Amino acid sequence: MAGICFNGKGGKRIFVSKKGEKMFNKITLIGRLGRDPETRTTPAGIVVNFSLATDETWLDSQGQKQTRTEWHRVVVWGKQAELCAKYLAKGRLVFVEGSLQTRKYQDSQGQERSVTEVKAQRVLFLDRTAAQTQTQQGSGLPQASPARTPLGSNPPQAGFPTDMSGMDDLPF
């Protein structure tokens, strides 16, 4: 079986199976939170869970615009989880980079269930808070502290779109 070969530089991981095939588990999403993040403290540290909506838009055979929303369960650990808990809320636009992970659990009736989640390694906050937007429009309100991004990442540039409009013409 042929695999995808990555050079391992810049934080990219190379996974090799027992048979020697190279494997790669990476997901990148840009979407909006469907609800406020849920925060829990575990023996392993702080964990934040949130649902992320991504939209796909296309024209059907009659020329009508169609939209489908996919929902993703995102799990964030450690310092990034603290930042997500502090600055994220329902409706915020975020960039999430991580890997897919499937885990099993027992529901309240004792049935074994499985769930696939995005285990986030990096979360970037892409839109501004309402207080920041009002301050920039000259309302005179005190400026809110900026949404911090994880260590080693760059904050979003001014003028970055705050909604998904115009994203359907991207070449990927």
Side-chain angles (χ1 to χ4, degrees):
M1 173 187 249
I4 300 173
C5 183
F6 292 89
N7 65 9
K9 294 181 183 176
K12 294 191 173 31
R13 296 180 184 167
I14 297 174
F15 296 98
V16 179
S17 72
K18 292 179 182 177
K19 296 180 182 179
E21 297 106 356
K22 292 177 177 45
M23 298 181 198
F24 192 67
N25 179 0
K26 186 156 194 145
I27 185 167
T28 304
L29 300 167
I30 296 177
R32 294 199 178 272
L33 272 69
R35 63 174 192 242
D36 289 342
E38 297 174 4
T39 305
R40 290 182 293 124
T41 302
T42 69
I46 295 175
V47 61
V48 168
N49 297 295
F50 58 85
S51 60
L52 188 71
T54 56
D55 292 335
E56 178 182 2
T57 305
W58 71 96
L59 294 178
D60 65 15
S61 58
Q62 288 80 32
Q64 298 293 320
K65 185 177 178 180
Q66 301 293 320
T67 302
R68 176 177 50 228
T69 301
E70 290 289 333
W71 288 94
H72 313 274
R73 297 173 71 128
V74 180
V75 180
V76 188
W77 291 88
K79 183 65 174 170
Q80 286 198 45
E82 293 175 28
L83 295 173
C84 288
K86 185 172 182 178
Y87 294 108
L88 290 182
K90 179 179 178 178
R92 293 287 309 266
L93 183 67
V94 296
F95 168 94
V96 175
E97 184 177 59
S99 59
L100 290 178
Q101 180 176 326
T102 302
R103 64 179 174 86
K104 293 184 179 185
Y105 68 97
Q106 284 191 350
D107 66 12
S108 58
Q109 286 80 32
Q111 297 290 323
E112 188 171 287
R113 305 266 184 201
S114 65
V115 62
T116 300
E117 301 168 320
V118 176
K119 183 179 171 187
Q121 279 111 23
R122 184 164 67 150
V123 178
L124 301 177
F125 311 146
L126 298 179
D127 59 359
R128 300 166 192 249
T129 64
Q132 289 172 316
T133 303
Q134 289 174 348
T135 299
Q136 288 185 346
Q137 293 172 349
S139 67
L141 294 175
Q143 186 165 356
S145 60
R148 295 188 179 118
T149 54
L151 296 174
S153 61
N154 296 325
Q157 299 297 319
F160 192 88
T162 59
D163 64 4
M164 298 299 280
S165 65
M167 298 292 276
D168 54 347
D169 62 348
L170 292 177
F172 51 90

